[in-house]
Amino acid sequence: MAVITASTSNSYYLDLMAGIQHALKPANWTVVVADVAVDGVYESLLEDRIVRRLIESRTAGVISTLTLKPENTKLFANWDIPVVFVDSSPPANAANFPSVTTDNYNASLLVGQHLAEHGYKDWTFLVYPTKWSTRFDRERGIRDAARLHNARVDVIECDNDSEAAYEALGVHLSKSKPVPQVLIAGNNPLLLGALKLLRHVNAE
């Protein structure tokens, strides 16, 4: 069994891997991990190489934590290798592939409701690229929440790693006057980068 991750620097994927290994342990299956986004930076050619290697090794199945390219999903299907997308969606032309996701849209609405109830009306949403399909519903939910609660939201995109988040937020804050009341981080690596920047700003 193979798990295709989108950056093992994200602790979320480490917890996911632990759960998968725990579930497969009674069956004595071996789990291998393939990272297509080393240090949070997605590489298309790396995805292609990984898919070819998994097919060559005749892996029993694939769990993918990001939306694979349509041609790679088709390759797995042609070789009768089952694929399940976790916390991600299948390609648009392969909607029949199973997918397990959280309700990112309504979760984002709840985040916005919570902020509004505390009187916060100026938000900044730091988010990763659209290659990670969870971006769409998370951003849609935050934008809709802002409209519902008459709040203002700035969306900042950066690569999916803490250093990129540090740099992007630093640029934004240098131009944003006054400083936004709220920072919403799209995931753990971006949160870590944002916290690092804020610690440096407060120390100056």
Side-chain angles (χ1 to χ4, degrees):
M1 174 69 69
V3 179
I4 299 177
T5 73
S7 182
T8 49
S9 63
N10 187 341
S11 61
Y12 168 82
Y13 295 124
L14 300 180
D15 290 341
L16 177 66
M17 276 301 307
I20 292 170
Q21 290 175 325
H22 179 76
L24 293 178
K25 186 176 180 180
N28 293 320
W29 280 33
T30 300
V31 182
V32 297
V33 182
D35 192 346
V36 298
V38 178
D39 295 326
V41 181
Y42 167 77
E43 295 184 34
S44 176
L45 292 178
L46 179 57
E47 178 187 324
D48 295 340
R49 290 198 302 272
I50 286 172
V51 169
R52 288 197 298 269
R53 296 297 177 270
L54 292 177
I55 291 173
E56 290 169 1
S57 68
R58 296 298 295 156
T59 184
V62 172
I63 297 172
S64 181
T65 65
L66 82 165
T67 301
L68 298 174
K69 292 156 63 173
E71 55 268 33
N72 285 333
T73 305
K74 185 177 180 181
L75 270 176
F76 281 133
N78 289 343
W79 284 92
D80 292 324
I81 297 174
V83 179
V84 176
F85 292 92
V86 175
D87 199 36
S88 61
S89 303
N93 64 341
N96 58 312
F97 280 76
S99 174
V100 180
T101 62
T102 53
D103 190 348
N104 288 296
Y105 176 73
N106 281 303
S108 293
L109 287 180
L110 289 174
V111 169
Q113 179 182 332
H114 176 78
L115 294 173
E117 287 174 351
H118 286 79
Y120 298 118
K121 297 289 187 177
D122 187 9
W123 311 342
T124 293
F125 183 40
L126 183 63
V127 69
Y128 42 84
T130 56
K131 174 61 185 175
W132 286 264
S133 60
T134 53
R135 153 80 180 265
F136 297 103
D137 279 347
R138 290 180 183 179
E139 181 177 346
R140 184 167 64 92
I142 291 297
R143 289 189 183 277
D144 284 354
R147 282 191 288 271
L148 284 170
H149 300 290
N150 297 313
R152 176 179 175 274
V153 59
D154 287 325
V155 176
I156 309 169
E157 179 180 306
C158 65
D159 285 333
N160 198 6
D161 66 277
S162 60
E163 289 304 314
Y166 181 98
E167 293 176 9
L169 183 59
V171 170
H172 177 74
L173 292 181
S174 69
K175 299 176 180 178
S176 178
K177 303 297 181 185
V179 174
Q181 293 177 307
V182 170
L183 172 66
I184 306 165
N187 63 15
N188 292 341
L190 304 193
L191 175 61
L192 291 175
L195 290 175
K196 179 181 177 182
L197 175 72
L198 295 176
R199 283 196 296 269
H200 286 176
V201 169
N202 290 334
E204 292 177 354

